[in-house]
Amino acid sequence: MPIANEPGRSTYTSLWPLILAVIVIAGLSIFSLWKWVESRADEGAIPREMTFQMTYEVIQSYPHDPAAFTQGLIYEDGVFYESTGLYGESSLRKVDVATGEVLMQEDLPGQYFAEGLTNWENSLVQLTWQEHQGFVYDKDEFTPTGTFDYLTEGWGLTQDDERLIMSDGTSTLSFLDPDTFEVIGTVTVTDKGQELVNINELEYIRSEVFANIWLTDDIIRIDPDTGEVLGWIDMSGLLPEEERTPETNVLNGIAFDSQTNRLFVTGKFWPKVYEIRLVSVEGE
């Protein structure tokens, strides 16, 4: 005998098409969002997949103090923090991205030649070249809060949320404890088994270390776990000849905005900071 008017059965059965429709719409929405995220990733500066040989496209340029001998550059909270070098001219700066205006500046004593720069929590950490001395500042006020020593020269500096990563002009990258500044590990940078020297300004980007090679127009991508070079980025021709002067120096300075996938590069005594997009070399 059929059961008449079983409580809730007919209502539940009639809801199935609606439930299925909601599931399908939700699935399509998630898929569309995923595809949008993928497309946005490829629209930004760093594509999801990169070839061994890369070059660049300029998105736009911003003013940069041509008297700044750029040694370290980072992007955080909508501004650049910059370390400038040379004896008697070294400084730590907070710079407006759009205008190049120096919003805050702390000059180093004349006996120091400033080098690489990175952020750590609410601090900025700055190296010096041959003085074996590093400086720590409060990021908001530029108030000096500490110093530390190291045995090598100081060139580039970045961090991976766990360690500071430092270059010294050789083929070695050193990893420092961010609290004690003790060396806790090293790797040797190699390309197809050959050591690379003159590793200069550093920027940690998506589990890789990007590095300027001093006296070249090249940036390399390094696996920080092995030191192996993952790829080369040809930056030649970035600063046009007509904008160069006798004082214009080498490419140096890499900053990454991880929130919006923007990449910035500049050089020593350059009048511009360039926002660029990486593209594969034709044929790769």
Side-chain angles (χ1 to χ4, degrees):
M1 174 188 292
I3 302 174
N5 298 324
E6 182 179 352
R9 179 165 181 158
S10 60
T11 302
Y12 181 74
T13 302
S14 65
L15 284 177
W16 261 113
L18 179 60
I19 293 170
L20 287 173
V22 169
I23 291 172
V24 170
I25 292 171
L28 290 173
S29 298
I30 292 171
F31 179 76
S32 298
L33 177 61
W34 174 66
K35 296 300 290 183
W36 180 83
V37 169
E38 273 198 325
S39 67
R40 292 294 295 172
D42 281 337
E43 287 174 9
I46 312 290
R48 286 177 297 110
E49 296 182 5
M50 290 194 283
T51 55
F52 191 78
Q53 299 287 344
M54 303 287 290
T55 186
Y56 66 91
E57 295 176 347
V58 173
I59 296 175
Q60 63 185 58
S61 62
Y62 306 90
H64 180 247
D65 180 3
F69 195 75
T70 304
Q71 300 291 76
L73 186 71
I74 61 175
Y75 176 97
E76 189 176 21
D77 300 329
V79 298
F80 291 132
Y81 293 95
E82 184 173 9
S83 174
T84 73
L86 299 178
Y87 291 111
E89 300 181 33
S90 292
S91 69
L92 172 66
R93 302 178 177 195
K94 179 179 181 179
V95 180
D96 182 271
V97 173
T99 66
E101 178 187 359
V102 178
L103 305 175
M104 191 181 304
Q105 179 167 327
E106 178 73 16
D107 294 326
L108 276 69
Q111 70 268 31
Y112 294 107
F113 190 122
E115 285 277 353
L117 178 74
T118 195
N119 59 307
W120 183 259
E121 296 179 344
N122 199 43
S123 296
L124 296 169
V125 184
Q126 184 181 41
L127 300 177
T128 58
W129 179 30
Q130 295 181 320
E131 292 71 57
H132 308 291
Q133 181 85 71
F135 295 97
V136 185
Y137 306 85
D138 176 85
K139 186 176 68 177
D140 297 325
E141 303 294 334
F142 280 17
T143 306
T145 60
T147 62
F148 60 98
D149 300 323
Y150 44 90
L151 298 176
T152 64
E153 291 187 356
W155 285 43
L157 191 67
T158 189
Q159 54 98 351
D160 63 0
D161 291 330
E162 295 181 0
R163 312 161 295 180
L164 305 184
I165 306 172
M166 172 180 166
S167 65
D168 60 11
T170 70
S171 59
T172 299
L173 293 183
S174 297
F175 302 99
L176 311 182
D177 183 294
D179 297 315
T180 66
F181 302 102
E182 296 293 326
V183 176
I184 55 177
T186 62
V187 293
T188 300
V189 178
T190 60
D191 181 24
K192 299 181 177 65
Q194 299 296 312
E195 292 188 20
L196 289 181
V197 297
N198 291 335
I199 309 299
N200 204 359
E201 219 271 305
L202 308 176
E203 182 77 2
Y204 187 78
I205 301 176
R206 295 183 177 175
S207 301
E208 300 177 359
V209 175
F210 283 45
N212 287 117
I213 304 297
W214 185 49
L215 299 178
T216 78
D217 289 324
D218 293 316
I219 293 173
I220 58 172
R221 300 165 39 227
I222 306 167
D223 182 334
D225 294 327
T226 64
E228 179 183 359
V229 172
L230 301 173
W232 290 76
I233 305 167
D234 179 8
M235 300 298 302
S236 58
L238 179 59
L239 181 65
E241 286 297 325
E242 60 269 23
E243 296 199 45
R244 294 178 178 271
T245 70
E247 288 73 38
T248 302
N249 210 285
V250 298
L251 180 78
N252 201 52
I254 309 168
F256 184 58
D257 175 6
S258 60
Q259 299 301 311
T260 59
N261 191 9
R262 293 192 296 166
L263 181 64
F264 305 91
V265 293
T266 190
K268 306 170 188 280
F269 294 151
W270 281 29
K272 300 278 182 62
V273 173
Y274 291 91
E275 181 181 345
I276 63 169
R277 176 188 299 113
L278 299 185
V279 295
S280 295
V281 172
E282 189 172 343
E284 278 284 301

